[in-house]
Amino acid sequence: MSIQDHVMEKINQGRVAMRPRWQFVLKSVLAVSASILLLLALLYVASFAVFVMRQNGAWFAPQFGWRGVAVLLTHLPWVLVGIGFVVIVALELLVKHYSFAYRRPLLYSVLGIVFIAACGGLAVAQTSLHRTFFTRAHEGRLPIAGPWYRGFGTERFRDVHPGRIESVTEDGVTIRTRLNELLSVEVTSETRLPFGFNFEAGDMVVVVGDRHDDRVEAQGVIEVREGGMMMPGMMQPPPFQKGLRPHWGVTR
Amino acid sequence: MVSDYSDEELAKLVQQGEHRHFSTLIERYETKMLRYARRFLFNTTDAEDLVQDVFLKAYMNIQGFDTSRRFSPWMYRIAHNAFVNALKRKGKDPLPFFDPDTLFPHPVSSEQTDRSVNDEDLKKTMDACLADLDPKYREPLVLFYFEELAYQEIAEVLQIPMSTVGVRIKRAKEALKRLYIEHNPEYQAKPI
């Protein structure tokens, strides 16, 4: 028997049947739904990364030149970047059998997704979504995601110090950090002040500079808007930092 | 007459329940699928069994075929998947999980130039050395020179960018030339 005869015999005897159309429709619907969910997850991760960087002050560092850019890059929330990467890979695998994805080099679709994530993340970060969750987490009113919000955004870095100005001194300012530490910030002629030195007590600022005990030699100081950073009263450091002696010698 | 129907029209009739028209589609594609299988897999017995499976899979999935698109690339795509799985079962994975060729854009070479230059000489060269070629490069070469599919159609079958099709065919020809010279040291290399 020829191939044609073999195949038609099986079809005529009902030994092979067509898959119903609804199965293909369902598969497409599931793929689209999963893609949308992954995209939303990516927007959430991107916007959360922006929020975290605003909280720990690294977001504002590039305003102080290349040193500030280096500070930003070294203080990126790499866990979130890693999660974002995994989501992008999952999204690419999901859409790779669709012509809009495979007709162009992979680089184009990846760049497109990254662009959408960046723009969407920035847009979502402007809303009160993460601020609301952050406040609830520190009030103990956010189940499940509470540890996630308490863990991120309260990191301490040796060279970025967000805080509120307590007083203006001859040498600079004193600031109270989110962890209720009082730091003396030394402002010199080398310090970059993008908007000048017109600080007052109560202003929210980010200071970039190396810390020695409770002194900071400011390489840059910038005021930030109240909404750009949050200071929800005294905050606890993340669990992995409790009980550890900071490497710059400050004890609590 | 049934012979006046296009492949897409026949597929639509099969979708509507007139499965006897599938016989005409088999008739039109049987020789092509066998040729494709033999040049890709180099095992005649496997080729016939596999081609039979390809047609059965095509029938089972015919409701997933969009009749506004061309039937030929869809049919070849089913065949491609079946042949690749067959190679995997033999322990030869023909395609990497991630292919760097698909990551970046490449300049698209002229399809007409590829097809017109030394066609007959090239086919003879290919017959001699195709078996030794990496399946990743062998397949687009077979689809282009023996199945005479256009770059766009090959891109649809393999689900890769069109520029990558051109790159793979170019590399396949270079590899073929090296293989042929290895097997025939007295051969005076001619441009392919």
Side-chain angles (χ1 to χ4, degrees):
Chain A
M1 271 168 87
S2 67
I3 290 174
Q4 184 180 22
D5 292 335
H6 272 296
V7 172
M8 290 313 296
E9 185 187 57
K10 285 186 177 175
I11 291 173
N12 291 332
Q13 289 175 353
R15 280 154 57 193
V16 64
M18 279 189 260
R19 289 197 177 113
R21 184 178 288 274
W22 65 261
Q23 276 190 15
F24 298 98
V25 172
L26 180 64
K27 191 177 160 188
S28 294
V29 166
L30 286 175
V32 168
S33 303
S35 301
I36 291 171
L37 283 174
L38 283 172
L39 201 56
L40 288 174
L42 193 59
L43 288 179
Y44 172 82
V45 168
S47 63
F48 189 57
V50 170
F51 175 77
V52 161
M53 286 193 288
R54 281 187 170 150
Q55 279 299 104
N56 62 34
W59 179 259
F60 306 98
Q63 300 195 57
F64 304 126
W66 289 112
R67 163 73 202 258
V69 171
V71 165
L72 174 74
L73 292 175
T74 52
H75 297 318
L76 279 176
W78 291 109
V79 170
L80 295 176
V81 171
I83 293 172
F85 176 76
V86 168
V87 172
I88 289 175
V89 168
L91 204 46
E92 284 290 343
L93 287 174
L94 201 58
V95 302
K96 73 174 184 173
H97 294 299
Y98 293 92
S99 57
F100 68 85
Y102 66 67
R103 272 184 188 163
R104 287 171 188 79
L106 189 63
L107 185 69
Y108 291 179
S109 59
V110 168
L111 286 177
I113 291 172
V114 167
F115 179 74
I116 291 170
C119 293
L122 280 169
V124 173
Q126 300 294 330
T127 68
S128 61
L129 175 76
H130 295 298
R131 281 199 295 278
T132 304
F133 286 151
F134 188 73
T135 304
R136 285 191 187 170
H138 283 279
E139 292 170 355
R141 293 194 296 130
L142 191 67
I144 302 171
W148 170 263
Y149 275 86
R150 283 191 294 274
F152 284 101
T154 54
E155 307 100 320
R156 282 187 305 175
F157 300 125
R158 196 176 59 82
D159 52 3
V160 183
H161 316 281
R164 194 186 295 279
I165 292 180
E166 285 269 305
S167 60
V168 179
T169 67
E170 279 180 7
D171 299 328
V173 295
T174 56
I175 64 170
R176 188 167 295 280
T177 69
R178 292 171 305 172
L179 296 171
N180 210 33
E181 298 166 312
L182 200 61
L183 300 179
S184 296
V185 177
E186 192 180 315
V187 175
T188 68
S189 55
E190 307 291 319
T191 305
R192 288 203 191 197
L193 300 164
F195 303 109
F197 191 94
N198 50 358
F199 303 117
E200 294 174 353
D203 287 346
M204 295 281 295
V205 295
V206 169
V207 178
V208 170
D210 292 331
R211 176 174 171 171
H212 306 283
D213 293 332
D214 58 358
R215 277 183 52 251
V216 177
E217 289 173 27
Q219 288 176 328
V221 185
I222 189 167
E223 186 181 347
V224 294
R225 287 183 302 111
E226 195 71 38
M229 221 163 54
M230 295 184 66
M231 297 277 287
M234 186 185 303
M235 288 165 25
Q236 293 298 314
F240 54 83
Q241 283 191 337
K242 279 183 184 171
L244 292 177
R245 185 184 178 86
H247 62 271
W248 54 80
V250 174
T251 54
R252 280 185 244 106
Chain B
M1 277 184 64
V2 172
S3 58
D4 293 336
Y5 288 131
S6 66
D7 294 344
E8 293 75 30
E9 284 164 343
L10 285 172
K12 192 162 187 173
L13 288 168
V14 173
Q15 286 176 342
Q16 290 166 353
E18 296 186 45
H19 61 251
R20 60 193 165 86
H21 292 299
F22 195 70
S23 173
T24 310
L25 285 170
I26 299 175
E27 208 175 294
R28 290 181 186 180
Y29 281 88
E30 185 176 333
T31 310
K32 293 179 188 179
M33 293 292 113
L34 279 169
R35 186 175 56 221
Y36 178 24
R38 283 175 187 141
R39 293 206 183 274
F40 190 32
L41 300 170
F42 296 98
N43 183 322
T44 306
T45 310
D46 274 2
E48 287 176 353
D49 289 341
L50 278 169
V51 167
Q52 189 174 314
D53 282 344
V54 165
F55 284 119
L56 289 171
K57 281 193 173 93
Y59 180 77
M60 284 163 61
N61 292 292
I62 197 104
Q63 293 289 358
F65 170 63
D66 180 356
T67 54
S68 65
R69 304 182 69 145
R70 290 200 57 230
F71 182 79
S72 174
W74 183 81
M75 189 70 223
Y76 273 98
R77 175 70 192 172
I78 292 176
H80 160 84
N81 288 340
F83 300 158
V84 162
N85 287 338
L87 283 175
K88 282 182 186 171
R89 281 195 296 271
K90 287 186 176 176
K92 300 174 193 176
D93 198 340
L95 299 170
F97 177 73
F98 169 67
D99 185 359
D101 283 341
T102 62
L103 181 57
F104 296 108
H106 302 280
V108 180
S109 59
S110 163
E111 210 169 312
Q112 292 311 310
T113 308
D114 279 338
R115 205 183 282 292
S116 67
V117 175
N118 294 329
D119 232 8
E120 284 312 308
D121 282 347
L122 181 57
K123 282 185 179 174
K124 284 179 197 166
T125 307
M126 283 195 284
D127 272 335
C129 303
L130 217 49
D132 295 330
L133 210 56
D134 185 331
K136 175 179 151 183
Y137 298 117
R138 187 195 314 148
E139 195 177 13
L141 208 64
V142 166
L143 290 172
F144 186 68
Y145 285 105
F146 292 99
E147 302 307 313
E148 298 190 332
L149 298 187
Y151 273 21
Q152 182 61 50
E153 291 170 312
I154 297 172
E156 295 289 335
V157 173
L158 303 181
Q159 291 187 346
I160 55 176
M162 210 167 82
S163 56
T164 305
V165 172
V167 165
R168 286 196 187 168
I169 287 177
K170 178 171 173 284
R171 288 191 189 145
K173 282 159 47 175
E174 287 162 3
L176 215 55
K177 183 174 166 183
R178 282 195 299 274
L179 283 167
Y180 195 75
I181 291 170
E182 264 174 41
H183 293 143
N184 302 277
E186 73 284 357
Y187 176 73
Q188 292 296 316
K190 293 177 189 170
I192 293 179

